[in-house]
Amino acid sequence: MTFALTVAFACTVGLAVLRSLRLGTGHLSVDVPLAWFVGSGWFAVAAMLLRFTVVPSYSRGLIVAITFVPILALVSRRMTTRGGEFGPVEGSVHAEVRRWVPRPIWGFLPLVAYVAFVTIVICLHGFNTPTSTDDALRVRAFTPMLAFDDHWGDAARGLLAMAGAVPTFVPTIAWRLTGNLDHFHVNYVVLTDLVAVLVLTVSVSSARGAPERGWATAFALLSLPFFMYHCTSTYQDAVLAMFVGASFVWTIEYATTRDPADAARGLLVLAVATMVKREGLVVAAVASMPIVAGLAWQHRRRESVRWTVLALCCLPAVLHLAATIAAAGVAQTFPFLRLAMTRTGAGVPIASKALDAPFTPTLRVFGYALFQSGNAGLLYWILPAAIVLRPRIAARRQFALPLAAVAAVFSVVAASSLWLVPAYTLDQSTVHRALLTPSVLGAIWVAAFVTDRSARCRAQPPDLDQPIPNA
Amino acid sequence: MPLLAFLAGFVLAVCAGCTTRDLREVPLDSVRQHIDTNAQILHSPHRIDLDIGPEGAYVVIPVRGPQALELSVKSDSIFTLTYAAIAGPGASPFGPPWRYRVLRPGSAVVLLDFLETPRWSPASIPFIKLDGAGHVSIERVRWSPPPAGGDFAAGAFDAAQRWAPESIGHTTINTLAAPLWRASRHTYLADVVAGLSACAGLATMLVTRRLRGRFTPSAAFAVSIVVAAIAWDGCFLARFLPVARLSVDVDVNRRIRDNYYFAPELGAVAAIARKDLRPEERVGVIASPHDWFSGEVMCFNLAPRPCAVVRHGESVSAGISSVTQLKSEDLDAVVSFVGDAALPPGFVPFARLTPRALIARRP
């Protein structure tokens, strides 16, 4: 299984980046899945940027160099500085009450069994299913082969800009190292993303004394049928949702702890999410707004916020934009701007009519997608019910800030579905996939909200008027 | 109580969906006389022999509104058998949901549940599309007639649709089939489960009010979620597990061969081509003009070999997303899904899976 090389390289790089930025949590069960996401992003952006600006070919040596840079950075940092972890330290709000068994155990056993069973089923089905859907054949699962081939004509560069760096370069790590192209590595990467996000949700919550929330989150994610299905296809919509979801786990943590390190982890994963599909940039930018607003509010209250580290966390997104422009040009990098200009009449009305559709039927289809199609399970029934039934709790900062992120991402999808490309909503060609990301965020939020009662039984909540030690 | 009632309803619905059907013999002579097909029928006293060309064939069995059809068949090739109840002209047999079975060389008894197809009615006719080339012999036909009475028919249709497995094909991209509680009235499962969850929550609220003297929306919400989760996830697993591929085989070629389950011929040829073609060979793929799928899947699975889909009359062929361009004279090997006739001059088949699927090289 040469794919183990991919996991090993990405996780090693990711751990080195996390430690270099002092964003490790001290729990391997948390840091390893987080490192998978971060390492994937580091590897992908470095490979793409170097390939299209500095080096003439995508070689084995380049992979090794990309891997060793963060490791060397970590070593040099260790040699030149000591102490001063950015992450949790003794006495901080989330370093103390590790608890792994949910309570009541009899209540959570069926839920844990469901999560384990469904995860195994998805992994086996994804492991066995060769790529067979059109967009995956033509773009998402095809670009890694272009990277392996390393001949970048105009058509190939256009596909690269559509797919993004992460889906393109991460599956190629083991291919390039061993020289063998195994088509199923694209599937394995998606499945590893799934396992990583599930482990992350459970381990973060458990490490901070609320395993109930972690298991409920995993259960909620695995109750989204269309999301589960696309984890077994090689489309990248579910992958984008998983990256944004992994970041959202930290958004919820940040809203609870007000620890800027949690915000930084969230922003770092969001920066990687910008490298998944072209939509990733828009979705990640919108999802980051509540975090940035929270940090600005902390700054205004004269709480310590280390902007340099936060800026470093956002840097991969900028580098990815630069790499995409270098590879495919500005027009391919920002197609949404062109589309939005077309729709507002500011640009040349190319193919505008093809995107038009009457509003009422489009709205009806959008409502069907939310409530009746079953693609998001019963999430869009439960989410508003949760807010209506427990409005005071929903308005608390720990839930309001993440809810703002859910609302922001949902608004973008709604605007896209109802205004930007209504024809694709009416024929149901994109609306269900576009809703995957807000659905994943919504599921994570609902799980955190529902298990709030048990969360209150864990550690002492932070005193929100006191700055977090070392933050 | 609402939860118990709901679970009882689910159990009853499951039982309704699991009832064995009364299969009755259809005399083969009667089938032979009234069968509608574009395949050539070869004369044989004890069976109906169909000779099917590279474009495949359709077959309409002369019964009306079958709940199920059991065919005892023998084939000498690989076929994807699509089945659908057709109620009128112009309807597509490919769904969604698309219902299909796979015929492999040899004998098989195939049970086709027409109640699971979306347009079934007591007046519909069973339409079968055989995608492949070769011979299929129908040796026995049994059928389950439609339930007597409109309500019984609608009830049987609803139960079958409710528990029908998810249908996954190469066009399952944008949405899954919406689960229906009553397909005959187009009632969505999501509406029903949401309503029952709300009832369960409301009942909990009233009970806790009586026991504790105050409303507890948190408990009501929790009960609603439990009801919704049990019902929804149970239904999802019932629909998804039958189509999930749960075997473990580390051999990549075997997984490609066995798991294009809606295009078994394609998967099998891809596995052979991957084994037999050298990494540096430039490959052209010839498929029917209406078949985008075979060409692109083949080129995808043959990567990193340069590969393009060869179209009639074009001197330069394009690969996936037009990234690769190959001239006809530069091709080293050709994979054809339309038989020998379409092979470019000078190519000789060296591996043949079915009469229409083969691999050829220049000698």
Side-chain angles (χ1 to χ4, degrees), chain A residues 71-247:
Chain A
I71 295 172
L72 290 176
L74 176 62
V75 171
S76 69
R77 179 151 201 158
R78 282 274 159 88
M79 289 169 70
T80 53
T81 60
R82 54 171 68 167
E85 280 281 322
F86 187 29
V89 292
E90 288 303 314
S92 82
V93 289
H94 44 71
E96 72 293 2
V97 274
R98 210 178 303 176
R99 184 161 65 82
W100 296 94
V101 181
R103 292 183 208 142
I105 184 67
W106 57 266
F108 276 87
L109 261 183
L111 200 131
V112 172
Y114 176 89
V115 169
F117 177 69
V118 173
T119 305
I120 291 169
V121 167
I122 292 176
C123 286
L124 285 176
H125 187 66
F127 174 83
N128 282 317
T129 305
T131 298
S132 59
T133 46
D134 59 355
D135 212 20
L137 288 168
R138 291 169 187 162
V139 184
R140 318 292 172 200
F142 184 50
T143 51
M145 296 173 190
L146 299 176
F148 180 74
D149 197 36
D150 204 26
H151 292 297
W152 295 98
D154 286 347
R157 287 166 186 253
L159 295 177
L160 170 61
M162 282 174 73
V166 166
T168 301
F169 286 98
V170 175
T172 65
I173 297 176
W175 296 352
R176 184 54 71 189
L177 290 173
T178 62
N180 288 323
L181 190 157
D182 177 346
H183 294 65
F184 282 94
H185 279 208
V186 182
N187 305 44
Y188 305 157
V189 169
V190 180
L191 296 174
T192 310
D193 289 336
L194 174 68
V195 172
V197 79
L198 293 175
V199 172
L200 188 69
T201 55
V202 174
S203 60
V204 168
S205 303
S206 300
R208 296 182 176 190
E212 297 82 13
R213 188 177 68 203
W215 286 106
T217 303
F219 178 78
L221 288 176
L222 296 178
S223 297
L224 302 172
F226 200 44
F227 169 71
M228 285 189 273
Y229 168 70
H230 267 303
C231 287
T232 66
S233 80
T234 43
Y235 263 52
Q236 296 297 320
D237 301 85
V239 174
L240 174 60
M242 284 189 273
F243 274 84
V244 180
S247 153

Side-chain angles (χ1 to χ4, degrees), chain A residues 125 127-128 131-132 134 138 183 188 219 223 226 228-230 235 368 371-372 375 378 428-429 432-433, chain B residues 170 172-176 178 190-191 193 221 233 236 245 247 255 259-260 274 293 296 300-301 303 321:
Chain A
H125 187 66
F127 174 83
N128 282 317
T131 298
S132 59
D134 59 355
R138 291 169 187 162
H183 294 65
Y188 305 157
F219 178 78
S223 297
F226 200 44
M228 285 189 273
Y229 168 70
H230 267 303
Y235 263 52
Y368 161 81
F371 298 109
Q372 292 169 321
N375 286 321
L378 292 180
Q428 297 191 50
S429 59
H432 301 284
R433 280 185 286 126
Chain B
H170 56 279
T172 310
I173 300 158
N174 299 321
T175 181
L176 297 175
D191 289 345
V193 174
F221 184 51
D233 290 330
F236 173 72
R245 297 280 157 159
S247 59
R255 267 185 281 159
N259 290 310
Y260 279 107
R274 284 166 53 88
F293 184 66
E296 297 205 356
F300 181 88
N301 283 300
S321 297

Side-chain angles (χ1 to χ4, degrees), chain B residues 10-21:
Chain B
F10 250 68
V11 171
L12 286 175
V14 171
C15 294
C18 295
T19 47
T20 51
R21 299 206 175 90

